[in-house]
Amino acid sequence: MKTTLLAGALLALTGLGTAQAQVSDDVVKIGVLTDMAGVTADITGKGSVVAAELAVKEFGGTVLGKPIQIIAADHQHKADLGTTIARQWFDIDKVDAIVDVPNSAVALAIQSLAREKKKIVMYSGAGTTALTNEQCSPYGFHWTYDTYAVSHGTAAAVVKAGGSSWFMLASDYAFGHQLQKDATDVVEANGGKVVGSVRHPLNNADFSSFLLRAQSSGAKVIGIANAGNDTINAIKQAGEFGLTEQGQSLAALIFFLQDVHSLGLKATQGTYLTTASYWDRDEASRAWSKLFMERTGMMPSMLHAGVYGSVLHYLKAIREAGTDDPDKVAAAMKAMPINDAFTKGATIRGDGRVLREMYLARVKKPADSKGPWDYFEIVRTIAPEETVWPLSESKCPAVAKP
């Protein structure tokens, strides 16, 4: 009788453990929604897919005994197309989480859908602060950077170095609008002045008319508030117009390793930027970046590193929660510190914003570079409290005001 009772108790405990370790549809499926051929393809795109795959490989390929699958699609910087893809992924393809999502307009559309569907999304490529502010979601995580972070890191440094008057050249969509606003706030808070601004279409080829307006403004600094190929084209054409030779400086409010690689050190030397990661920081980042280089032919952008880190943390949270249930996984993600090849001891705030150290970097002079991709000098480490807005200013209903 005692043996029978003991066996029954053990069976009940085993059944309880099995019930707790649950994976819907017997697979954890993660969708990389990215830009495969557009303005941000070099800093996201196929590299983001590889980053997600490397995270899965590092984790071991399975979670809770079930396989992990990575799928990918190109949203083409269209909010309606991005939403259509996400809806099919959620409703038909049974995707559990989405990562990357460059383009803030697309990200905001996905945020609304994912909140409705109770699906986790981890944004590495999008920059708008609205994702963790007025349009926050219990299932949304802003992973790598936002416009507040990069503008506070870069604009403040330039103003303090003497760049007191600015002209803003911004891309005409949600990301550019927010970056322009955040940078303007920083410039003015530090005693500078924005004397003019102009907005250009996404994926713009000809910046001549915009740069002429910037030139005629007489501003000491031209703030480049865009990303990807738009940043490259704007800086390249500014050089062709001789703006820096005539005494104006360029401040790229968001600038990537791939942008420097495309433009060259001669054209970009001395440019300040704020970054969430750099491939050559330590042994762990160098080792991971070598694997990435073998797959892609380039070193990772901070957005690639963010996709890798977000996927790895998501899988760890599933393991910790014993299920892929989005509510339980989201809670585990917020309870656990973030540790990966690029990030040590970061945390997630109640609004979904990752609180991480960032770095003020300066592009090296050609003579100081040891070779391809050796482009950044880290000037200083920026504490998380310098790059996130205080909760007292938050409009996210999920967080309590201090």
Side-chain angles (χ1 to χ4, degrees):
M1 183 66 175
K2 289 182 180 179
T3 302
T4 303
L5 289 173
L6 180 59
L10 289 173
L11 182 62
L13 288 173
T14 303
L16 180 60
T18 303
Q20 289 176 335
Q22 293 181 350
V23 172
S24 58
D25 307 301
D26 291 326
V27 61
V28 172
K29 191 177 292 188
I30 302 169
V32 183
L33 187 57
T34 190
D35 169 18
M36 291 295 190
V39 64
T40 56
D42 287 345
I43 54 177
T44 59
K46 294 178 181 178
S48 292
V49 180
V50 169
E53 291 171 345
L54 287 175
V56 172
K57 183 177 181 180
E58 180 177 327
F59 189 77
T62 64
V63 59
L64 301 180
K66 303 298 182 180
I68 305 162
Q69 183 180 357
I70 300 294
I71 65 173
D74 184 354
H75 60 48
Q76 300 177 30
H77 290 278
K78 299 175 181 177
D80 56 346
L81 177 59
T83 305
T84 298
I85 293 169
R87 189 178 296 278
Q88 175 171 323
W89 278 359
F90 291 152
D91 293 347
I92 300 174
D93 298 329
K94 306 303 180 184
V95 167
D96 298 290
I98 291 176
V99 296
D100 201 8
V101 203
N103 187 300
S104 292
V106 178
L108 290 171
I110 299 302
Q111 181 88 320
S112 178
L113 177 66
R115 187 190 302 110
E116 172 195 336
K117 299 289 184 179
K118 296 185 177 182
K119 295 286 187 175
I120 288 176
V121 186
M122 297 163 284
Y123 305 96
S124 183
T128 178
T129 57
L131 288 168
T132 50
N133 200 10
E134 60 267 25
Q135 296 195 42
C136 70
S137 164
Y139 310 103
F141 298 86
H142 210 163
W143 205 264
T144 304
Y145 83 105
D146 60 25
T147 56
Y148 186 101
V150 294
S151 60
H152 276 68
T154 305
V158 173
V159 174
K160 291 174 182 177
S164 57
S165 60
W166 287 57
F167 184 94
M168 294 291 183
L169 174 62
S171 52
D172 192 12
Y173 71 110
F175 166 79
H177 299 175
Q178 189 69 54
L179 186 55
Q180 177 186 347
K181 179 186 181 302
D182 289 343
T184 298
D185 291 344
V186 175
V187 169
E188 293 176 347
N190 283 274
K193 183 179 181 180
V194 176
V195 299
S197 64
V198 66
R199 291 173 176 172
H200 66 82
L202 180 67
N203 207 11
N204 190 58
D206 184 6
F207 284 87
S208 56
S209 62
F210 306 120
L211 291 169
L212 286 172
R213 288 180 62 179
Q215 184 181 39
S216 64
S217 72
K220 291 182 180 181
V221 181
I222 301 172
I224 310 295
N226 52 24
N229 290 342
D230 283 334
T231 303
I232 292 171
N233 288 334
I235 292 177
K236 181 180 179 180
Q237 291 174 37
E240 293 170 354
F241 273 88
L243 298 189
T244 55
E245 294 175 2
Q246 297 169 30
Q248 290 180 298
S249 298
L250 302 179
L253 296 173
I254 179 165
F255 205 41
F256 294 93
L257 195 66
Q258 282 74 7
D259 299 337
V260 178
H261 191 74
S262 177
L263 288 163
L265 289 175
K266 184 178 179 180
T268 58
Q269 59 184 310
T271 302
Y272 282 98
L273 63 135
T274 301
T275 183
S277 63
Y278 183 46
W279 71 269
D280 200 21
R281 284 291 291 162
D282 56 31
E283 287 301 322
S285 63
R286 284 189 285 271
W288 190 91
S289 298
K290 181 181 178 181
L291 296 175
F292 185 86
M293 168 72 92
E294 291 171 354
R295 295 275 301 272
T296 64
M298 63 180 172
M299 287 300 179
S301 71
M302 70 171 180
L303 306 185
H304 297 142
V307 169
Y308 150 74
S310 63
V311 170
L312 187 61
H313 191 71
Y314 173 68
L315 295 175
K316 289 178 180 178
I318 291 177
R319 182 174 61 194
E320 178 69 18
T323 176
D324 65 351
D325 175 84
D327 289 296
K328 294 178 181 178
V329 172
M333 289 176 69
K334 292 177 180 177
M336 298 166 55
I338 301 169
N339 289 294
D340 57 57
F342 296 93
T343 307
K344 303 295 184 291
T347 58
I348 302 175
R349 201 163 65 173
D351 55 4
R353 180 69 160 83
V354 170
L355 306 180
R356 63 167 69 250
E357 289 184 340
M358 298 190 77
Y359 308 100
L360 179 65
R362 182 168 52 222
V363 179
K364 290 183 175 181
K365 297 177 181 178
D368 295 333
S369 174
K370 298 176 182 177
W373 304 103
D374 179 29
Y375 298 151
F376 291 170
E377 170 195 359
I378 303 301
V379 177
R380 74 180 183 96
T381 299
I382 308 173
E385 53 266 25
E386 296 184 53
T387 58
V388 296
W389 71 91
L391 288 180
S392 59
E393 300 176 11
S394 177
K395 298 178 183 177
C396 174
V399 297
K401 306 297 186 296

